[in-house]
Amino acid sequence: MGRGLGPAVLALMGTSACVSRVLPARQCGDGHAVAGEACFGDTALELAVDYVPLALRVADFDGDDAPDVLLLGVDAAGAVTATMHAGQGDGTLAAPRDAGIIGCSAHPALGDANGDGAIDLLVDACDDTMLVYLADRSGGFSAPRIVDVDLATQTSAIADVDHDGIGDVVALGLQGEQVALAWARGTADGFEAPRVRVLATSGDPGAPTGFSLGALDDDGYDDALLAHASDAAAELVRGGPDGFGAREPAPQLPSATGIAVLDLDGNGARELLAVQSVPAQLVAYRGTLDTLRRAGTTAIESVHDRLLAGGDIDGDDRLDLGFFAPGERDVQLWLGDGRGGWTRRATVDVGVGVDQLALADLDGDGAAELVAGTFSIGGIRIIAGDP
């Protein structure tokens, strides 16, 4: 498959991003990130590629503590291609390079597969296997490792399920007419044969459509909380030495479309965040299933039909949220209080329709930049933070 890297355009654009601030303007622009600020400038950095972009990923792919930008898509022949734009830590990006990614999907999962601190990629091979690309710490990836998951993948993750310091591959997908969850344990030499747990029959309205991983009990293994197409009773499958167990109800949690395992306050401990559609709200919880307590509830009726991205907008180590509707120009920014609540603070007009979104501090000033996948014009647009 061809992965030719064509010319990329890097241009500084003026007056393309307008910000409606809730906070007084005098608190922005002094160079100091302050909790509660949601400050962005009026210029945008645009990057365009000569293939059809489909996915945006922002992470530290080379282990230098500066976020990098990876753009993936398909070329004129329909082959997957990707370009890496390494972050320099000062808000600029290095010249793009071919990331060397092949496969049948341009939508990789991210995670640290080998414990070296650099973020690796998990790519669907569109059969019963997946490909793990280990970051080479110089802005590229090594030749892929083939991982047998024994199912046709729908969604996947790299996570250290058994907490041994080596990432594992977890995939949800179809095994014939059955929906199943597979765990391929990572080792120093590769990946073991998958342990597969059948969860439902394909077409069952209660079949899970996604999952989130986290330690929900004290047995030393991550468990999987299951997501559904609409609000449904919370369910989980517990991890253990022989793989994942059977589906079981989690009556401690509310009915929800999905429940994510996240660090809401930056202290390293994971909380649970339930997304409900009726009523439209976010509900945060602390503790394991046996000690679970509700931490906070946030009504999101005004943005319930939007997608969201998470990051630290104001440099206080708390999880903040950006809500966007694919194809629309505005991004609504909500700041987290670290206790399970969020408050709308600002709206950013990106100037063109947003297809995907990431919030990441590219220049090291403590405040996030808004990195928008603007695929309708062939690339991304970066709105710089202005604390």
Side-chain angles (χ1 to χ4, degrees), residues 32-48:
H32 300 286
V34 176
E37 286 185 346
C39 303
F40 291 83
D42 293 324
T43 59
L45 192 67
E46 183 170 299
L47 183 151

Side-chain angles (χ1 to χ4, degrees), residues 19 22 37-40 303 309 313 320-323 330-335 342-348 357 359 368 370:
V19 181
V22 173
E37 286 185 346
C39 303
F40 291 83
V303 291
I313 293 172
D320 306 313
L321 303 174
F323 291 89
D330 67 298
V331 175
Q332 295 190 22
L333 302 175
W334 295 50
L335 299 186
W342 286 265
T343 302
R344 180 177 171 178
R345 276 292 183 267
T347 299
V348 177
L357 180 68
L359 304 172
L370 191 156

Side-chain angles (χ1 to χ4, degrees), residues 21 23-31 37 39 387:
R21 296 186 178 93
L23 297 176
R26 70 174 186 275
Q27 294 187 10
C28 299
D30 62 4
E37 286 185 346
C39 303

Side-chain angles (χ1 to χ4, degrees), residues 99-136:
I101 305 301
I102 61 173
C104 77
S105 172
H107 302 274
L110 307 183
D112 185 358
N114 57 357
D116 68 350
I119 298 302
D120 310 307
L121 303 182
L122 178 62
V123 178
D124 189 4
C126 288
D127 48 26
D128 61 355
T129 67
M130 302 196 75
L131 305 174
V132 171
Y133 287 87
L134 297 178
D136 63 13

